[in-house]
Amino acid sequence: MGGEPDREPGLGVGAVARRLGLAAATLRTWDRRYGMGPSGRSPGGHRRYTPEDVARLEAMQRLILEGAPPGEAALAARNEPPGAPRRPRGHGAGGNRVPVGEPPAGADAAEVRGLARAAMSLDVPAMVEAIRSAIARGGVVRAWDGLMVPVLAGIGRKHAVGGECVEVEHLLSTVVLGCLAEVPTPEQPLNVRPVVLACAPEEQHSLPLYALAAALAQAGVAASLLGARVPPDALAAAIRRTGPGAVFVWSQTAATGDPGWLAGLPGTRPMVRLLAGGPGWRQDRLPDSVRFVTSLSQAVTEILNGPAAP
Ligand code: B12
């Protein structure tokens, strides 16, 4: 387990951190500040968390999620007999768990739960660690579909049910955006003409564009990301000035999905390839010239291999 021999009894800090969806640094702080460290020892003399230590940490985490300050949570968790029944929570049908549901095939359920817990604990280092390592292991497309989307969708459901978790949604969005933006742009891009990515007018859900920019970067394509709420005139100006090979427009919500304005975008010579994606679009009203895509991987493939490929 992460370099900690499983022959040794008890768990090391890394294993417990993964289990709770916290950063190892958070556990070390809880040890130092609140005396919530490991009470066991391995034969080799290393400090190890016993099952009782882990139960106390889980209780402390639960109490923090319920709103207790960490010091009080530690005190109460130490006094709570192991295996004590959990107190009912005051609000929301699902308490403080994220209803992430069944992760998609190929996704690592433990990893999804870990990120969800880290998000609910507002534990930025643990969120960053989970997302960075998923991107490093499987690439952007897998990390997006298998880890980030299930947790984002779970938070979205929770918000829809009880209006809760706005702070979690905002912080997770910031972290996801930061991790995707870290993916380096190719030094010698395959594309000569730019690829422009934009949200529909008034559309604030820009994360899918960051996922697309990062996935394209890993495929060797550099993209210009215009971000959220791009007015039609601004997109038209960008097209006229840069003569892109492809333009991708995202609409997440029905309020931004009327595509009437797309037909007014300037054509360039050679032709600009116009792609649209997202659940917001009124697909029946999309102009014939617009190609509609239904997944991140399809968007990447279309941009890489379409008739007007960069
Ligand atoms: C993060 C988030 C926000 C953040 C966005 C931050 C950012 N920079 O993007 C903030 C806080 C700003 C926000 C604001 C709002 N939000 Co919001 N938000 C979300 C959340 C949690 C994730 C959004 C996301 O990135 N989704 C990406 C994936 C998870 O979405 P998906 O569509 O399921 O993706 C799949 C397909 O679309 C497909 N796909 C097809 N083609 C392509 C192409 C590409 C390139 C990609 C990547 C994928 C793809 O593959 C995807 C899987 O990869 C969703 C929950 C959800 N289920 O999406 C709510 C959600 C989208 N928001 C919602 C709402 C209502 C709002 C607000 C109106 C709230 C408010 N009252 O202010 C505002 C909207 C403001 C506006 N005008 O846009 C609703 C929308 C309901 C609806 N059907 O219209 C949702 C569904 C939450 C809910 N259940 O109620 N939100």
Side-chain angles (χ1 to χ4, degrees):
M1 251 186 236
E4 290 145 0
D6 11 335
R7 293 189 304 281
E8 301 203 336
L11 294 171
V13 68
V16 176
R18 278 192 295 280
R19 184 161 159 173
L20 298 187
L22 294 168
T26 305
L27 286 182
R28 291 197 188 95
T29 306
W30 287 6
D31 180 4
R32 235 183 12 258
R33 286 201 194 142
Y34 312 117
M36 295 295 282
S39 62
R41 288 258 170 214
S42 73
H46 295 114
R47 299 178 72 205
R48 311 290 284 176
Y49 287 89
T50 64
E52 292 73 31
D53 295 334
V54 176
R56 273 192 290 273
L57 286 170
E58 281 176 337
M60 175 172 173
Q61 185 184 31
R62 174 169 44 84
L63 292 165
I64 291 173
L65 290 172
E66 286 170 5
E72 276 175 30
L75 198 64
R78 269 202 301 275
N79 293 332
E80 200 172 273
R86 295 184 162 196
R87 284 191 286 120
R89 296 182 178 112
H91 56 271
N96 279 308
R97 287 180 190 280
V98 178
V100 284
E102 273 303 300
D108 181 335
E111 195 180 39
V112 171
R113 277 199 304 276
L115 177 59
R117 292 176 88 155
M120 291 303 290
S121 310
L122 303 179
D123 186 340
V124 172
M127 285 190 261
V128 170
E129 198 175 299
I131 297 170
R132 271 189 193 152
S133 73
I135 292 176
R137 244 191 350 270
V140 168
V141 175
R142 278 187 70 135
W144 171 255
D145 285 335
L147 178 63
M148 291 177 256
V149 168
V151 178
L152 283 166
I155 303 280
R157 275 195 294 277
K158 208 166 162 60
H159 178 60
V161 170
E164 306 165 35
C165 297
V166 174
E167 71 290 359
V168 177
E169 183 176 302
H170 282 229
L171 192 62
L172 177 63
S173 297
T174 307
V175 170
V176 165
L177 197 147
C179 291
L180 291 168
E182 275 173 8
V183 174
T185 44
E187 276 176 25
Q188 291 182 318
L190 299 173
N191 52 318
V192 180
R193 296 172 69 196
V195 171
V196 172
L197 314 179
C199 277
E202 298 310 324
E203 179 58 69
Q204 291 181 30
H205 296 93
S206 57
L207 294 181
L209 292 184
Y210 284 83
L212 180 54
L216 285 171
Q218 287 194 331
V221 173
S224 306
L225 205 162
L226 301 186
R229 305 176 66 193
V230 180
D233 287 354
L235 184 56
I239 292 174
R240 263 189 239 102
R241 293 225 290 276
T242 65
V247 174
F248 178 90
V249 190
W250 180 261
S251 164
Q252 181 80 43
T253 54
T256 68
D258 186 339
W261 61 278
L262 287 176
L265 289 174
T268 52
R269 269 179 232 294
M271 279 290 285
V272 58
R273 182 165 161 74
L274 205 48
L275 301 142
W281 289 115
R282 282 285 310 258
Q283 288 178 48
D284 56 331
R285 294 204 197 148
L286 282 171
D288 290 342
S289 55
V290 176
R291 176 94 172 119
F292 185 71
V293 302
T294 57
S295 69
L296 173 57
S297 61
Q298 193 198 354
V300 174
T301 310
E302 289 282 342
I303 290 172
L304 271 175
N305 304 326

